[in-house]
Amino acid sequence: MPNEPVNPSGGVAPNDLERFRTSDRYEISRVLRDLLRGHELVTLGVRDDRGFVLTSVVHVDSEQQWFYLDPGADPGANERLLHADKVLFLSHHNRVRVQFMIDRLESGERDGAPVFVAPFPQSMIRVQRREFYRVRTPAAAPLLCHFLLGGQSIQATIVDISLGGIGIIEPERHLELEAGSVLERCRIELPDEGSIETAVEIRSHFEVAVRSGAPQRRIGCRFLHLSPHMNARIQRYIHRVELDRRRRVRGG
């Protein structure tokens, strides 16, 4: 078992953490559901305790505002968490650090298997350093981008979008897209908004786990020279996606 205590600040000054705090119930539910869908690792610990448990979210009940986690591999550590007054929750969502305190952690059962059961937190800290608000694109209506590479037309699926750029999943063929390289003409068809075409700069690439099959390579891109009318189209699209998600969460 690791012999270092859980560090809740993650290298950020405690006073600075407060500006990343949200109490919005929809946002908290959305982040927990994203952690569930992404099978993200979660660290559960007690302040000043040198042991912690690695787990993951297995179910989110947005209506009742409860969520469930797998118990850890160490029964003794699980018991300490169940008897703790407060439990620290740490994870990452879209490569952004997520943390909050669980007021009470209970034991339960789901589909015949033991689970931890916890209420939604009153607030959540997301250490977000991005300049632009980013949303996941709907899986039911995939957003696509088209660009030319080596004289060939390439189509890629966009997994998230902001006014600053997009994240795409690399097509099956391996693309020579290094950080700092520029795609001069990237075209995106935005439903009900028309298309935008602009240059993008490759900023990052990393592998992400998927529910089945081999890991996928995600490529982060930054928009270059985005015009005001293209900016407005993206903004309207993001707003509509968020409204649709809020309606689904609330059952409307």
Side-chain angles (χ1 to χ4, degrees):
M1 178 172 292
N3 58 9
E4 292 297 327
V6 174
N7 177 8
S9 68
V12 180
N15 290 341
D16 290 340
L17 286 175
E18 289 307 307
R19 64 192 177 95
F20 298 110
R21 187 181 297 278
T22 178
S23 300
D24 184 273
R25 310 309 291 168
Y26 167 77
E27 178 67 8
I28 290 171
S29 174
R30 185 178 70 85
V31 172
L32 288 172
R33 287 183 287 110
D34 282 349
L35 294 177
L36 168 64
R37 282 194 293 264
H39 304 284
E40 304 291 351
L41 279 178
V42 173
T43 300
L44 298 179
V46 180
R47 289 185 185 275
D48 302 322
D49 191 311
R50 290 184 176 273
F52 57 85
V53 166
L54 288 177
T55 179
S56 59
V57 178
V58 295
H59 180 68
V60 177
D61 186 335
S62 297
E63 183 176 347
Q64 299 298 322
Q65 299 192 349
W66 288 84
F67 67 103
Y68 302 73
L69 305 110
D70 275 330
D74 183 344
N78 292 337
E79 283 299 314
R80 287 195 296 274
L81 291 177
L82 290 170
H83 288 91
D85 292 332
K86 297 277 188 179
V87 174
L88 179 65
F89 178 110
L90 296 174
S91 189
H92 286 81
H93 168 242
N94 289 341
R95 306 188 78 194
V96 175
R97 186 182 179 90
V98 175
Q99 72 180 65
F100 55 83
M101 298 303 295
I102 297 174
D103 289 333
R104 65 186 188 280
L105 194 63
E106 301 176 1
S107 61
E109 185 177 292
R110 177 171 171 78
D111 297 331
V115 291
F116 287 141
V117 185
F120 277 19
Q122 294 299 310
S123 65
M124 170 187 290
I125 291 174
R126 298 181 67 239
V127 184
Q128 171 65 278
R129 293 184 176 87
R130 292 192 182 111
E131 182 181 355
F132 302 101
Y133 181 67
R134 184 179 301 265
V135 297
R136 284 180 182 266
T137 56
L143 198 62
L144 303 175
C145 69
H146 306 265
F147 54 89
L148 292 176
L149 186 66
Q152 293 186 322
S153 178
I154 306 294
Q155 175 179 285
T157 300
I158 298 172
V159 291
D160 57 55
I161 186 169
S162 74
L163 293 177
I166 54 176
I168 65 174
I169 294 297
E170 183 181 47
E172 291 184 5
R173 71 179 101 175
H174 181 70
L175 302 181
E176 295 298 328
L177 296 176
E178 297 302 324
S181 60
V182 174
L183 303 174
E184 294 295 341
R185 297 178 63 184
C186 177
R187 180 171 54 84
I188 303 171
E189 296 290 340
L190 295 171
D192 301 322
E193 297 295 340
S195 66
I196 65 169
E197 186 173 301
T198 185
V200 298
E201 178 188 8
I202 307 302
R203 301 290 291 177
S204 63
H205 46 79
F206 53 91
E207 287 192 344
V208 293
V210 294
R211 188 178 296 271
S212 60
Q216 294 178 325
R217 191 167 181 248
R218 185 188 183 283
I219 302 171
C221 309
R222 179 170 70 96
F223 290 135
L224 301 175
H225 318 304
L226 201 65
S227 69
H229 80 272
M230 289 189 289
N231 186 301
R233 287 180 179 180
I234 294 172
Q235 200 162 25
R236 287 194 297 266
Y237 171 79
I238 290 174
H239 181 64
R240 190 168 62 254
V241 168
E242 280 300 292
L243 284 180
D244 288 344
R245 282 183 176 154
R246 288 175 187 265
R247 293 190 190 103
R248 288 199 300 272
V249 169
R250 295 166 182 168

